[in-house]
Amino acid sequence: MKISTKGRYGLMLLVDLAEQQSDQPISLKSIAERNNLSEHYLEQLIAPLRNGGFVRSIRGAYGGYVLARHPREIVIEEVLLALEGPITIVDEEIDDGLQVLWDRLREAIHDVLSSMTLQDLVELRQGSSQGYMYYI
């Protein structure tokens, strides 16, 4: 299983919107600049994110995008399903006698992705950027 740039960049886009914590719309250009991503590529990702109910678009000179729901209500598995489609581990048509392994692996992945929210990713990203505090 491999998450493509579609899934990764889509999550980065949503995390950026959540980190801004603003009701003001944020342009894709500013998101692209902050995350060193292609604005053109983000434009391709925004439609499935909007259709999935994760973002709302605001038109006009000062338009852009805002989260459609609170970051705690956006489950990572839902985002990846909207961007990547069903998550598969192996070709299901091949009978290799290892189905129990593939089922357990699929279940573990589901458990992680369904238990994490966009807010969790924001907190993880903020925690990793703050570094460590050393006391002597």
Side-chain angles (χ1 to χ4, degrees):
M1 179 190 120
K2 184 174 182 177
I3 304 293
S4 71
T5 54
K6 204 177 196 182
R8 290 184 74 179
Y9 289 8
L11 285 173
M12 290 171 71
L13 186 157
L14 292 175
V15 168
D16 188 275
L17 285 174
E19 285 177 334
Q20 301 310 310
Q21 298 179 2
S22 172
D23 292 333
Q24 299 299 318
I26 299 171
S27 70
L28 288 182
K29 181 177 182 175
S30 65
I31 294 170
E33 288 172 355
R34 272 192 299 277
N35 293 280
N36 198 26
L37 301 173
S38 161
E39 181 181 358
H40 178 69
Y41 196 65
L42 293 182
E43 288 171 356
Q44 296 174 26
L45 299 178
I46 205 69
L49 292 174
R50 192 177 58 242
N51 292 340
F54 305 110
V55 297
R56 288 186 301 117
S57 60
I58 311 242
R59 296 179 184 242
Y62 299 101
Y65 297 90
V66 295
L67 290 177
R69 297 184 267 163
H70 190 278
R72 288 207 188 286
E73 298 172 359
I74 298 176
V75 178
I76 300 309
E77 184 176 44
E78 294 173 2
V79 175
L80 290 177
L81 286 172
L83 293 169
E84 300 276 351
I87 297 168
T88 58
I89 308 299
V90 293
D91 185 356
E92 300 289 332
E93 296 176 12
I94 297 174
D95 184 12
D96 57 8
L98 301 172
Q99 193 60 42
V100 172
L101 170 65
W102 308 132
D103 290 343
R104 289 180 66 191
L105 186 56
R106 189 179 307 102
E107 184 178 320
I109 291 169
H110 166 75
D111 289 347
V112 169
L113 295 178
S114 67
S115 68
M116 294 192 76
T117 66
L118 186 58
Q119 184 64 41
D120 294 327
L121 294 186
V122 168
E123 291 168 6
L124 285 171
R125 190 155 132 171
Q126 288 174 348
S128 69
S129 67
Q130 292 176 357
Y132 296 98
M133 178 70 71
Y134 294 97
Y135 295 97
I136 300 176

